[in-house]
Amino acid sequence: MRTARRAVWDRARPAAVRQAVTPWSGAAGAIHYPQGVRILIAPDKFAGTMSAGEAADAVAAGWLAARPGDTAATLPLADGGPGFTEVLARAKPQAQLRTVDVYDPLGRPIKADYLLDGDTAYVESAAACGLHLLAPEERDPVRTTTYGVGLLIAHAIESGARRVVVGLGGSSTNDAGAGMLTALGCVFRDLAGEPVPYGGGGLTSVHTVEGQPRTRGVIFTAATDVDSPLLGPNGATAVFGPQKGADARTVENLERAVAHFARTLEDTLGLHGAAENPGAGAAGGMGFALFLLGGSRESGARLTCDAVGLDAQIAAADLVITGEGSFDSQSLRGKLAAEVARGAAAHGKPCLVLAGRSDVAAHPDLAGVYSVTELLGSAEEAMARPVEGLTALAERVAKEWQE
């Protein structure tokens, strides 16, 4: 077995991985490999169980246990959701990670980070309004707010940002960005002239809009791969409301509240059509609010893949492995796994998917799709033993893999 050096991913990692994963250079440098099969491990997070870095380490440990003569490099990825700024911070060592006192989705004080790279700020909305910040019994899109996200953006603007890229994904909110706009200077009042309460439930009572967002003319980009409009059967509430704690009746009420808020805001600002834009429904409608601020939409997956130099890493590999918690038909429509698979196909490199669960048996761009659920026998077991299960799956696949 070759003696390996420190890996690209610089978080704490299992001893087996520290000893066996050989580093490849960063996004801008030339990439050199020792002899042997070169494996690029580039997963997304496994939502609710593992970060992208933890998943990459688990795959590396399992693969190299079965094939110690191979060389693996880990390249954790993210779209606009949790892990967005962490991945970008590692790809942009010159950037500054700023920590800000903000509020979580239920108004409790927390600290959250954003990344400032020159005059561009990268804000991960989930850092302040993410579903992972709440216990399951606390999930309530009637009350949860994006106010903390607005505080992050305001701090970035005051720190000199001229462009703010907001990663959208993994939110616990359904307030159409009302909390974010409030933190930036808007005031939403009811018929009695009182400020409406935070959360999606309060939107139904919005009667007037006062104030202007204090954005100093910055350019906004919504980094998301969600193409849902704000409203309707494919909108923010109908598609994502249930996973945020909304039952069927709450979904109906929130849909009416968001529709009323959108009409009121568009009529007040004289900006119509933002609710229909692809991505307006991202992060509980935060995309809609960013579009009203003049923002545009960019693929979060593509943005991060470009930042970490994914294409160059794939070109230098012999085999590419990606993965995510749930791999389904939506994963093949612009999510990170699809970006990795397309990149591998463009370079003629085989690509495997190792997922927590999968509804996809095969795809032309993939050499194989495997799931922890299938290996362990149930989704419950896969969720209860995520690292162990993914490591075991990688080891089994490695034993079966033919160079």
Side-chain angles (χ1 to χ4, degrees):
M1 182 187 303
R2 284 184 298 273
T3 300
R5 296 166 285 168
R6 184 180 173 90
V8 173
W9 186 256
D10 58 5
R11 295 182 57 185
R13 53 200 301 142
V17 179
R18 288 198 302 269
Q19 295 167 5
V21 182
T22 299
W24 306 351
S25 66
I31 300 173
H32 303 283
Y33 293 92
Q35 296 299 311
V37 177
R38 301 160 299 187
I39 316 298
L40 173 64
I41 303 170
D44 193 0
K45 64 185 177 300
F46 281 49
T49 58
M50 289 179 284
S51 69
E54 291 165 340
D57 282 347
V59 173
W63 188 277
L64 293 170
R67 297 173 59 100
D70 289 350
T71 302
T74 56
L75 189 70
L77 298 174
D79 50 21
F84 180 64
T85 54
E86 185 177 30
V87 168
L88 290 175
R90 283 166 170 77
K92 299 174 177 289
Q94 76 285 356
Q96 302 173 38
L97 199 61
R98 301 286 184 90
T99 301
V100 183
D101 291 317
V102 297
Y103 297 96
D104 80 355
L106 293 176
R108 298 171 297 206
I110 60 169
K111 293 185 182 296
D113 299 328
Y114 70 91
L115 190 68
L116 187 62
D117 183 21
D119 63 358
T120 299
Y122 296 91
V123 174
E124 180 184 310
S125 62
C129 73
L131 199 62
H132 68 283
L133 297 174
L134 304 178
E137 63 273 13
E138 292 179 322
R139 297 177 181 180
D140 183 4
V142 172
R143 297 191 299 133
T144 50
T145 176
T146 56
Y147 185 81
V149 182
L151 293 179
L152 279 174
I153 293 173
H155 193 283
I157 293 172
E158 293 303 315
S159 296
R162 302 303 304 154
R163 179 185 181 220
V164 177
V165 180
V166 184
L168 302 180
S171 80
S172 65
T173 52
N174 203 96
D175 70 351
M180 179 190 78
L181 293 173
T182 300
L184 292 174
C186 290
V187 180
F188 303 107
R189 299 189 183 278
D190 60 20
L191 275 170
E194 296 296 322
V196 301
Y198 291 117
L203 301 181
T204 191
S205 61
V206 173
H207 180 64
T208 59
V209 182
E210 298 178 3
Q212 292 289 331
R214 296 184 293 271
T215 60
R216 299 182 183 269
V218 304
I219 298 171
F220 287 96
T221 300
T224 179
D225 293 286
V226 172
D227 57 7
S228 301
L230 180 63
L231 303 167
N234 297 315
T237 308
V239 175
F240 302 107
Q243 65 187 241
K244 300 176 182 183
D247 58 22
R249 176 171 293 182
T250 302
V251 166
E252 292 179 6
N253 292 338
L254 282 172
E255 178 77 0
R256 286 194 293 270
V258 172
H260 168 76
F261 176 72
R263 285 194 301 271
T264 302
L265 205 52
E266 289 187 340
D267 288 346
T268 300
L269 299 177
L271 299 172
H272 294 274
E276 286 77 44
N277 288 345
M286 211 181 316
F288 165 72
L290 290 172
F291 294 153
L292 288 179
L293 294 175
S296 60
R297 172 175 168 257
E298 183 176 343
S299 164
R302 186 71 263 156
L303 188 152
T304 54
C305 288
D306 288 345
V308 301
L310 176 66
D311 189 66
Q313 300 274 24
I314 290 174
D318 299 313
L319 170 66
V320 179
I321 300 176
T322 188
E324 60 185 18
S326 180
F327 187 72
D328 54 28
S329 59
Q330 292 298 312
S331 302
L332 301 171
R333 295 182 54 202
K335 285 191 176 182
L336 275 170
E339 289 288 340
V340 176
R342 279 194 292 268
H347 287 282
K349 306 297 174 69
C351 181
L352 305 177
V353 171
L354 275 58
R357 58 175 294 277
S358 176
D359 297 332
V360 178
H363 187 270
D365 288 342
L366 300 173
V369 180
Y370 307 88
S371 78
V372 178
T373 296
E374 181 182 9
L375 177 68
L376 299 185
S378 71
E380 291 75 20
E381 278 295 301
M383 291 291 288
R385 301 157 53 200
V387 175
E388 178 186 349
L390 185 58
T391 301
L393 178 64
E395 184 173 0
R396 190 192 76 173
V397 173
K399 290 176 180 177
E400 299 173 354
W401 179 252
Q402 299 296 316
E403 299 177 24

